[in-house]
Amino acid sequence: MERFNEHIGAVNSCHNDARIQFESFQDQRHSVSNVLRSCGREIDIAYRTRLTAALDVTRFLLKQGLAFRGNDESTSSSNRGNFLELFEWYSQRNTEIFEVVNQNAPANNQLTSPMIQKDLAHACASEITSVIINDIGDNYFSLIVDESRDSSVKEQMGVVLRYVNKEGRVIERFLAIVHVSDTTSLCLKDAIDSLFT
């Protein structure tokens, strides 16, 4: 019995470790869930700030019709492409954004990868298309379709909507560029059908 009692009070004893863990469990201010909850809010705010900045840069580039990507996007490049350069410029002029981007952001949550850039552009295109469709409403519209080859000799079709808005003005809105296998009328019709579905 004496051997058992001398191990209960020792600093490295199992009993002492269990007592310390129990006391930590009872202290809710330092509990894992409370720490995660408080850190979660900060992480969420930082993520939203990064996402808003990336969307601001995306909207600017789309509005100006500028390319997103550059030839060399490595950190040693003097011109990393419009998206990354504008994102960097924007963060340098806004301390709230600077604190949550680049070296201050988690490596797997930078929101600057080419896939994220495409996702943001597609999200903006979806929103713009919804606004155009709401503006047309139940009124008539016409399509202006033109086909051409791009520099890599791929056939593509440009689609523009023309309609009269609620104020009676004729509006033309570019809708999309669709890659097509060939420029026969049947292929173009199928591409238009898939675009509108």
Side-chain angles (χ1 to χ4, degrees):
M1 192 72 158
E2 289 176 20
R3 273 176 98 184
F4 182 71
N5 286 339
E6 68 186 36
H7 290 293
I8 289 177
V11 176
N12 294 333
S13 71
C14 295
H15 174 76
N16 201 26
D17 287 343
R19 182 186 55 79
I20 291 170
Q21 289 178 9
F22 178 71
E23 288 171 359
S24 296
F25 174 74
Q26 284 183 321
D27 183 11
Q28 291 300 310
R29 288 176 299 142
H30 297 106
S31 70
V32 172
S33 63
N34 192 39
V35 170
L36 286 175
R37 194 173 22 255
S38 65
C39 288
R41 275 187 238 111
E42 293 170 9
I43 290 169
D44 190 41
I45 290 169
Y47 174 76
R48 287 177 185 269
T49 303
R50 259 190 317 280
L51 181 60
T52 303
L55 273 170
D56 288 345
V57 169
T58 300
R59 288 175 46 214
F60 178 83
L61 293 174
L62 288 172
K63 187 174 182 181
Q64 297 302 316
L66 298 172
F68 280 55
R69 307 280 312 278
N71 291 334
D72 180 12
E73 293 184 347
S74 65
T75 54
S76 61
S77 175
S78 62
N79 185 357
R80 299 176 59 207
N82 292 331
F83 183 87
L84 295 175
E85 290 292 335
L86 187 57
F87 196 70
E88 179 69 25
W89 178 86
Y90 192 29
S91 69
Q92 290 174 355
R93 276 141 188 81
N94 187 324
T95 55
E96 181 184 357
I97 293 170
F98 182 77
E99 292 170 356
V100 297
V101 299
N102 298 335
Q103 69 278 2
N104 299 324
N108 64 346
N109 198 354
Q110 296 279 321
L111 298 179
T112 56
S113 72
M115 190 168 23
I116 295 292
Q117 293 175 34
K118 284 183 180 181
D119 286 347
L120 292 172
H122 286 297
C124 288
S126 256
E127 287 298 313
I128 291 168
T129 303
S130 294
V131 168
I132 292 170
I133 289 171
N134 288 338
D135 195 30
I136 292 172
D138 292 334
N139 296 328
Y140 294 108
F141 64 92
S142 63
L143 289 176
I144 302 171
V145 177
D146 191 18
E147 57 82 22
S148 66
R149 287 187 180 159
D150 65 5
S151 60
S152 65
V153 194
K154 290 183 180 175
E155 298 289 343
Q156 56 188 10
M157 171 182 72
V159 180
V160 175
L161 283 171
R162 178 184 282 173
Y163 62 95
V164 177
N165 69 2
K166 294 171 180 121
E167 289 88 39
R169 285 192 276 148
V170 175
I171 305 290
E172 287 184 357
R173 295 283 183 238
F174 174 77
L175 191 60
I177 290 181
V178 180
H179 290 282
V180 292
S181 56
D182 61 62
T183 56
T184 63
S185 59
L186 180 62
C187 185
L188 295 179
K189 180 200 170 298
D190 289 342
I192 291 169
D193 287 344
S194 68
L195 177 66
F196 280 99
T197 56

